[in-house]
Amino acid sequence: MAATSGSREAFGTRAGFILAAAGSAVGLGNMWRFSYQASEGGGAAFVLLYVCMTLLLGIPLMLAEFGLGRRGQLAPIGSLRRLGGPAWARLGYVFVAAGLMILAYYSVIAGWTIRYAIEAVLHGFSASAGEHFGAVASGGDAVAFHIGFMVLTILIVVGGVKGGIERASLILMPMLFLIVIGLAVWATTLDGAGEGYAVYLKPDLNELKNPTVWRAAAAQAFFSLSLGMGAMLTFASYLRRDQNLPESATVVAFTDFGVAFVAGLIVFPVIYSLSLQGAVGASTVGALFIALPSAFEAMGGAGRVVGLLFFVTLAVGALTSAISLLEVVTASMMDEIGLSRRKAAIATGAVITALGILPALSTETLGLMDKIAGELLLVAGALATAILAGWRVRSEVEAELIAGASPFWARQVPRILGVLRFAAPPIVATVLFFSVRETIAAFASYFAG
Ligand code: PHE
């Protein structure tokens, strides 16, 4: 453990921290996963459930990570060791493993978004979007774009907390918000937009009886809010005690939900205005990389511009999320082994780049990695985090969260921690049970097929 509080890097501004945390949260999950899951899970019924999960699990768990990180002043392994004792350091290793694995396949998807953006400039979208996606999603090109995206991510993380992560977030996040809102306004002008909104916003309440939809909503909340693998914990370890943590967690969670919701207001009208709904359910990536590009293609010149903006936004969101994933692993190497930031970022980035070649060569492998790391490990990590912060070191976490909070938010801390202690563990444990079952089934079909 080389770093001490005195020499530790820190965010320069309060807004910088909030934008970096929001940058971690807002990403491919908001567009790639959210729209797909909403279309599968009964539209607004899923959206409603998702809001409940964000309030009930998301905000309390984010607050737990913020409290643990700022208290511990180290990356996850060190912070958990410092607060919970050596046994809890193991959870930190699980976080690092999850970060490695998620970034490995996340970067492949991010590579696709960059490719589509470049194609929009060079020659527009392909008329046979399904075949095109099949041809470029895996193989040499996918590997090349994955490597390119990883290099970008590494460069920013090498720049440090203030000069790299905070600066990138301050520039990229406002740009992302503006484009997303602009595209949603444009989508209102489409013929058939009404039908898209109706499907999106009319709840199919029957779906609420389906436990799979509940599990999906909870798992989506963890993934989308970057919870369960120490990303928020790591960012909070770069804070001093003047940040209002409960307020920050609430702002970040609502920003993340807001972007996911508005993204749905883009995706659904575009798809329904061209009657492409059939292409959505085909695969988890169907909506984003097949249905939308064919819609953009059918719209001619305007579609090319809008499509370019759309994929640039996705790439930007992916980049600010990837930074946080790499930072968890990098900061752990810095704190545990005493490597310099540059060496740690390049070494861990290289390992992740190599690991990412597997999902870049097979979309089935990508899907399996998403199930294992993007779902199972996050749910398990969230459960352990709730137990640690809610029970094992509760009083320390509570004191940490109240420090720096305004009187209003300080009064909310015991309430939110009450939810973390009593509501979160049984719900997350139930979700974990179903996730384990799903992951076993996914394994079986992966090796059977
Ligand atoms: N929250 C990110 C997204 O929605 C993904 C992510 C998961 C980032 C876990 C960091 C940690 O795209």
Side-chain angles (χ1 to χ4, degrees), residues 283-305:
S283 69
T284 52
V285 289
L288 218 51
F289 294 98
I290 299 173
L292 284 173
S294 26
F296 293 140
E297 199 274 332
M299 289 169 187
R304 214 162 137 179
V305 176

mmCIF file of all heavy atoms in Angstrom, residues 283-305:
data_model
loop_
_atom_site.group_PDB
_atom_site.id
_atom_site.type_symbol
_atom_site.label_atom_id
_atom_site.label_comp_id
_atom_site.label_asym_id
_atom_site.label_seq_id
_atom_site.Cartn_x
_atom_site.Cartn_y
_atom_site.Cartn_z
ATOM 1 N N SER A 283 -31.764 -10.072 -31.191
ATOM 2 C CA SER A 283 -30.633 -10.280 -30.284
ATOM 3 C C SER A 283 -30.519 -9.052 -29.411
ATOM 4 O O SER A 283 -31.145 -8.041 -29.675
ATOM 5 C CB SER A 283 -29.342 -10.452 -31.073
ATOM 6 O OG SER A 283 -28.994 -9.224 -31.677
ATOM 7 N N THR A 284 -29.673 -9.147 -28.373
ATOM 8 C CA THR A 284 -29.547 -7.986 -27.495
ATOM 9 C C THR A 284 -28.996 -6.786 -28.247
ATOM 10 O O THR A 284 -29.201 -5.662 -27.857
ATOM 11 C CB THR A 284 -28.598 -8.277 -26.318
ATOM 12 O OG1 THR A 284 -27.384 -8.776 -26.859
ATOM 13 C CG2 THR A 284 -29.188 -9.262 -25.355
ATOM 14 N N VAL A 285 -28.257 -7.046 -29.302
ATOM 15 C CA VAL A 285 -27.682 -5.930 -30.039
ATOM 16 C C VAL A 285 -28.556 -5.543 -31.224
ATOM 17 O O VAL A 285 -28.264 -4.590 -31.929
ATOM 18 C CB VAL A 285 -26.270 -6.272 -30.543
ATOM 19 C CG1 VAL A 285 -25.303 -6.327 -29.390
ATOM 20 C CG2 VAL A 285 -26.260 -7.554 -31.311
ATOM 21 N N GLY A 286 -29.646 -6.285 -31.412
ATOM 22 C CA GLY A 286 -30.461 -6.085 -32.604
ATOM 23 C C GLY A 286 -30.938 -4.663 -32.786
ATOM 24 O O GLY A 286 -30.848 -4.092 -33.868
ATOM 25 N N ALA A 287 -31.457 -4.085 -31.688
ATOM 26 C CA ALA A 287 -32.038 -2.748 -31.805
ATOM 27 C C ALA A 287 -30.989 -1.753 -32.251
ATOM 28 O O ALA A 287 -31.197 -0.954 -33.168
ATOM 29 C CB ALA A 287 -32.638 -2.311 -30.473
ATOM 30 N N LEU A 288 -29.863 -1.835 -31.603
ATOM 31 C CA LEU A 288 -28.875 -0.785 -31.778
ATOM 32 C C LEU A 288 -28.098 -0.884 -33.074
ATOM 33 O O LEU A 288 -27.864 0.104 -33.754
ATOM 34 C CB LEU A 288 -27.903 -0.890 -30.600
ATOM 35 C CG LEU A 288 -27.440 0.419 -30.063
ATOM 36 C CD1 LEU A 288 -28.621 1.312 -29.781
ATOM 37 C CD2 LEU A 288 -26.669 0.166 -28.789
ATOM 38 N N PHE A 289 -27.665 -2.093 -33.405
ATOM 39 C CA PHE A 289 -26.730 -2.218 -34.519
ATOM 40 C C PHE A 289 -27.380 -2.756 -35.790
ATOM 41 O O PHE A 289 -26.733 -2.832 -36.823
ATOM 42 C CB PHE A 289 -25.554 -3.099 -34.107
ATOM 43 C CG PHE A 289 -24.718 -2.460 -33.044
ATOM 44 C CD1 PHE A 289 -24.884 -2.803 -31.709
ATOM 45 C CD2 PHE A 289 -23.801 -1.478 -33.369
ATOM 46 C CE1 PHE A 289 -24.131 -2.198 -30.726
ATOM 47 C CE2 PHE A 289 -23.044 -0.859 -32.393
ATOM 48 C CZ PHE A 289 -23.208 -1.215 -31.064
ATOM 49 N N ILE A 290 -28.663 -3.135 -35.703
ATOM 50 C CA ILE A 290 -29.320 -3.619 -36.907
ATOM 51 C C ILE A 290 -30.541 -2.757 -37.234
ATOM 52 O O ILE A 290 -30.618 -2.145 -38.306
ATOM 53 C CB ILE A 290 -29.710 -5.109 -36.762
ATOM 54 C CG1 ILE A 290 -28.429 -5.944 -36.537
ATOM 55 C CG2 ILE A 290 -30.434 -5.593 -38.007
ATOM 56 C CD1 ILE A 290 -28.658 -7.389 -36.207
ATOM 57 N N ALA A 291 -31.495 -2.669 -36.295
ATOM 58 C CA ALA A 291 -32.720 -1.926 -36.598
ATOM 59 C C ALA A 291 -32.428 -0.440 -36.822
ATOM 60 O O ALA A 291 -32.886 0.151 -37.812
ATOM 61 C CB ALA A 291 -33.730 -2.105 -35.467
ATOM 62 N N LEU A 292 -31.661 0.182 -35.934
ATOM 63 C CA LEU A 292 -31.411 1.617 -36.093
ATOM 64 C C LEU A 292 -30.632 1.938 -37.374
ATOM 65 O O LEU A 292 -31.040 2.824 -38.124
ATOM 66 C CB LEU A 292 -30.690 2.187 -34.874
ATOM 67 C CG LEU A 292 -31.586 2.381 -33.654
ATOM 68 C CD1 LEU A 292 -30.757 2.797 -32.449
ATOM 69 C CD2 LEU A 292 -32.663 3.424 -33.921
ATOM 70 N N PRO A 293 -29.537 1.224 -37.668
ATOM 71 C CA PRO A 293 -28.845 1.536 -38.918
ATOM 72 C C PRO A 293 -29.743 1.365 -40.143
ATOM 73 O O PRO A 293 -29.667 2.176 -41.075
ATOM 74 C CB PRO A 293 -27.681 0.541 -38.946
ATOM 75 C CG PRO A 293 -27.437 0.211 -37.527
ATOM 76 C CD PRO A 293 -28.770 0.281 -36.844
ATOM 77 N N SER A 294 -30.617 0.341 -40.154
ATOM 78 C CA SER A 294 -31.461 0.233 -41.360
ATOM 79 C C SER A 294 -32.437 1.398 -41.425
ATOM 80 O O SER A 294 -32.753 1.885 -42.509
ATOM 81 C CB SER A 294 -32.187 -1.107 -41.492
ATOM 82 O OG SER A 294 -32.394 -1.711 -40.273
ATOM 83 N N ALA A 295 -32.891 1.859 -40.257
ATOM 84 C CA ALA A 295 -33.757 3.042 -40.262
ATOM 85 C C ALA A 295 -32.994 4.261 -40.784
ATOM 86 O O ALA A 295 -33.491 5.008 -41.635
ATOM 87 C CB ALA A 295 -34.285 3.308 -38.854
ATOM 88 N N PHE A 296 -31.803 4.450 -40.306
ATOM 89 C CA PHE A 296 -31.014 5.606 -40.750
ATOM 90 C C PHE A 296 -30.761 5.530 -42.262
ATOM 91 O O PHE A 296 -30.806 6.531 -42.963
ATOM 92 C CB PHE A 296 -29.667 5.662 -40.005
ATOM 93 C CG PHE A 296 -29.804 5.944 -38.527
ATOM 94 C CD1 PHE A 296 -29.000 5.293 -37.596
ATOM 95 C CD2 PHE A 296 -30.741 6.868 -38.057
ATOM 96 C CE1 PHE A 296 -29.118 5.541 -36.236
ATOM 97 C CE2 PHE A 296 -30.872 7.123 -36.697
ATOM 98 C CZ PHE A 296 -30.057 6.459 -35.783
ATOM 99 N N GLU A 297 -30.519 4.332 -42.735
ATOM 100 C CA GLU A 297 -30.258 4.158 -44.163
ATOM 101 C C GLU A 297 -31.487 4.561 -44.966
ATOM 102 O O GLU A 297 -31.400 5.278 -45.967
ATOM 103 C CB GLU A 297 -29.876 2.697 -44.437
ATOM 104 C CG GLU A 297 -29.151 2.471 -45.744
ATOM 105 C CD GLU A 297 -30.106 2.277 -46.915
ATOM 106 O OE1 GLU A 297 -31.238 1.801 -46.697
ATOM 107 O OE2 GLU A 297 -29.706 2.600 -48.050
ATOM 108 N N ALA A 298 -32.667 4.102 -44.494
ATOM 109 C CA ALA A 298 -33.900 4.382 -45.219
ATOM 110 C C ALA A 298 -34.248 5.866 -45.213
ATOM 111 O O ALA A 298 -35.027 6.330 -46.039
ATOM 112 C CB ALA A 298 -35.043 3.569 -44.604
ATOM 113 N N MET A 299 -33.688 6.625 -44.293
ATOM 114 C CA MET A 299 -34.009 8.046 -44.206
ATOM 115 C C MET A 299 -33.125 8.904 -45.106
ATOM 116 O O MET A 299 -33.228 10.139 -45.075
ATOM 117 C CB MET A 299 -33.846 8.529 -42.763
ATOM 118 C CG MET A 299 -34.925 8.002 -41.851
ATOM 119 S SD MET A 299 -34.458 8.371 -40.144
ATOM 120 C CE MET A 299 -35.733 7.483 -39.285
ATOM 121 N N GLY A 300 -32.213 8.307 -45.808
ATOM 122 C CA GLY A 300 -31.380 9.079 -46.735
ATOM 123 C C GLY A 300 -30.389 9.980 -46.024
ATOM 124 O O GLY A 300 -29.855 9.631 -44.977
ATOM 125 N N GLY A 301 -30.176 11.165 -46.608
ATOM 126 C CA GLY A 301 -29.136 12.084 -46.118
ATOM 127 C C GLY A 301 -29.317 12.467 -44.664
ATOM 128 O O GLY A 301 -28.360 12.473 -43.889
ATOM 129 N N ALA A 302 -30.566 12.782 -44.284
ATOM 130 C CA ALA A 302 -30.809 13.165 -42.887
ATOM 131 C C ALA A 302 -30.455 12.016 -41.964
ATOM 132 O O ALA A 302 -29.862 12.212 -40.898
ATOM 133 C CB ALA A 302 -32.278 13.547 -42.707
ATOM 134 N N GLY A 303 -30.775 10.794 -42.381
ATOM 135 C CA GLY A 303 -30.485 9.616 -41.574
ATOM 136 C C GLY A 303 -28.997 9.455 -41.342
ATOM 137 O O GLY A 303 -28.567 9.015 -40.274
ATOM 138 N N ARG A 304 -28.225 9.846 -42.360
ATOM 139 C CA ARG A 304 -26.776 9.711 -42.230
ATOM 140 C C ARG A 304 -26.237 10.642 -41.147
ATOM 141 O O ARG A 304 -25.415 10.242 -40.324
ATOM 142 C CB ARG A 304 -26.148 10.042 -43.576
ATOM 143 C CG ARG A 304 -24.929 9.237 -43.866
ATOM 144 C CD ARG A 304 -24.610 9.284 -45.338
ATOM 145 N NE ARG A 304 -23.173 9.457 -45.495
ATOM 146 C CZ ARG A 304 -22.575 9.520 -46.680
ATOM 147 N NH1 ARG A 304 -23.296 9.455 -47.789
ATOM 148 N NH2 ARG A 304 -21.272 9.666 -46.749
ATOM 149 N N VAL A 305 -26.737 11.879 -41.156
ATOM 150 C CA VAL A 305 -26.284 12.857 -40.154
ATOM 151 C C VAL A 305 -26.738 12.417 -38.764
ATOM 152 O O VAL A 305 -25.954 12.379 -37.809
ATOM 153 C CB VAL A 305 -26.854 14.257 -40.471
ATOM 154 C CG1 VAL A 305 -26.466 15.237 -39.377
ATOM 155 C CG2 VAL A 305 -26.362 14.724 -41.836
#
